[in-house]
Amino acid sequence: MKCSKCRQDAVLFQRYSGLHLCEDHFTIDLETKVKKTIRKEGWIKSGDKIAVALSGGKDSTALLYFLTKTFGIRRDVEIAAVTIDEGISGYRSTQICKSIAEQAGVEFHTASFKEHFGITLDEIVQKKGDINSCSYCGVLRRQLLNRTARDAGATKIAYGFNLDDEAQSVMMNVLRGDAETLLRKQKPVEGMLPRIKPFKTIPEREVALYARLQTTGYEERGCPYSYNALRADVRGILNQYNYGHPATKYALLNLGEKFKSGIPADSTGAETCATCGEPVFGSCRVCGILKELKGE
Ligand code: SF4
Ligand code: ZN
């Protein structure tokens, strides 16, 4: 297949856009979307020091590459890498992360569960079993990551989460009936660095392709404790459903964000439609439909 935009061979077919893209046009497409997300969210400003949460996997390695490529030339923005060593034997290698950071030419900071909490994740699993390993790990890592990035002078933490991760999280919260997590808006807390997710609109397979084309040396192995059953099920369901309905993952991402932003002020209570005089939430859907039917 040839690229829809030039004569080169395509490396990707995007079902949701109908486009075949070559390496060059795929790279432009992905980077343009990520820049747009960053701009729209106001995520990177002059004076920022962005700490990339570097796990050494494809997503965070690709994110570090993208951010240094895009912002590395700016003198008013700094990029750094932070790696947390949870103490999972045969998996987390700070050495791999260190060399990825060196390749990207950024500062590298690291901290370990053992040295800060006095226990490794392997030891926690020995004590508690592996059923809740991710809950313990996530809570501890989040705090240590924040502390390490803050001590390094960072102003924000960047995560490599992609569209699939975000859509899965929303769906999981729905399936658990976890209204609290869906609705709770994170308030800014003194000392807690804001989190940014530049790849949140990019499908996992595209981030993986970007990582493969642009970077080397990332870790392909997964965490030995990462068999979260619900996430694996949701991933399967979403991928299957998304095949016939390619906008599903975006819809879930948007749904999650709408929940989090709370109910906008102009639709908190019933108002009256200026055209039909009926009570409405926000804009009047009846009048919208009538207008559409009349072909206006
Ligand atoms: Fe920790 Fe779970 Fe991630 Fe493994 S998969 S590093 S246990 S959060
Ligand atoms: Zn092309």
Side-chain angles (χ1 to χ4, degrees), residues 282-296:
S283 62
C284 181
R285 295 195 61 199
V286 174
C287 288
I289 290 170
L290 293 177
K291 205 169 155 191
E292 192 188 309
L293 289 176
K294 277 196 212 150
E296 282 176 32

Side-chain angles (χ1 to χ4, degrees), residues 65-284:
Y65 168 82
F66 167 82
L67 289 175
T68 48
K69 177 181 179 185
T70 311
F71 296 94
I73 37 165
R74 276 178 55 172
R75 288 170 168 272
D76 60 339
V77 173
E78 202 182 329
I79 309 294
V82 178
T83 296
I84 300 306
D85 179 4
E86 301 91 345
I88 303 171
S89 54
Y91 168 57
R92 182 72 76 224
S93 159
T94 43
Q95 206 44 49
I96 286 180
C97 296
K98 188 166 183 246
S99 67
I100 291 168
E102 274 166 8
Q103 253 182 59
V106 301
E107 268 174 27
F108 178 66
H109 301 271
T110 182
S112 73
F113 277 19
K114 187 73 183 173
E115 119 207 20
H116 282 267
F117 304 119
I119 190 164
T120 65
L121 193 71
D122 283 340
E123 289 162 355
I124 294 175
V125 169
Q126 268 169 29
K127 280 192 173 175
K128 295 281 185 183
D130 55 11
I131 190 81
N132 287 321
S133 51
C134 291
S135 322
Y136 293 110
C137 185
V139 171
L140 297 179
R141 189 182 44 229
R142 186 179 292 199
Q143 195 217 60
L144 190 51
L145 196 54
N146 185 64
R147 205 196 305 180
T148 310
R150 199 184 54 217
D151 290 351
T155 54
K156 282 164 191 157
I157 301 181
Y159 286 83
F161 297 139
N162 58 52
L163 176 64
D164 292 61
D165 296 323
E166 294 296 298
Q168 286 158 17
S169 297
V170 174
M171 187 78 170
M172 284 163 69
N173 288 328
V174 170
L175 293 176
R176 284 196 200 104
D178 186 351
E180 162 98 31
T181 305
L182 281 167
L183 297 171
R184 193 182 49 206
K185 196 176 175 183
Q186 293 282 345
K187 282 207 192 103
V189 176
E190 171 96 26
M192 181 79 84
L193 301 182
R195 313 200 302 160
I196 68 172
K197 304 171 193 171
F199 286 166
K200 70 172 184 176
T201 66
I202 310 295
E204 180 173 23
R205 66 190 282 258
E206 294 188 29
V207 175
L209 179 60
Y210 184 71
R212 206 164 68 230
L213 295 172
Q214 308 294 345
T215 71
T216 54
Y218 55 84
E219 174 68 89
E220 309 251 11
R221 286 175 302 178
C223 171
Y225 306 127
S226 75
Y227 41 78
N228 182 321
L230 179 58
R231 187 172 284 272
D233 285 352
V234 166
R235 186 172 195 260
I237 295 166
L238 278 185
N239 284 344
Q240 202 184 0
Y241 189 75
N242 199 73
Y243 191 78
H245 309 269
T248 302
K249 290 174 188 171
Y250 295 101
L252 280 168
L253 171 72
N254 289 334
L255 181 70
E257 289 179 354
K258 274 184 197 146
F259 276 146
K260 285 254 188 281
S261 64
I263 301 160
D266 63 354
S267 58
T268 44
E271 288 178 357
T272 306
C273 172
T275 311
C276 69
E278 289 298 313
V280 289
F281 287 101
S283 62
C284 181

Side-chain angles (χ1 to χ4, degrees), residues 53-69:
L54 185 65
S55 72
K58 61 177 171 36
D59 302 84
S60 58
T61 303
L63 180 59
L64 182 64
Y65 168 82
F66 167 82
L67 289 175
T68 48
K69 177 181 179 185

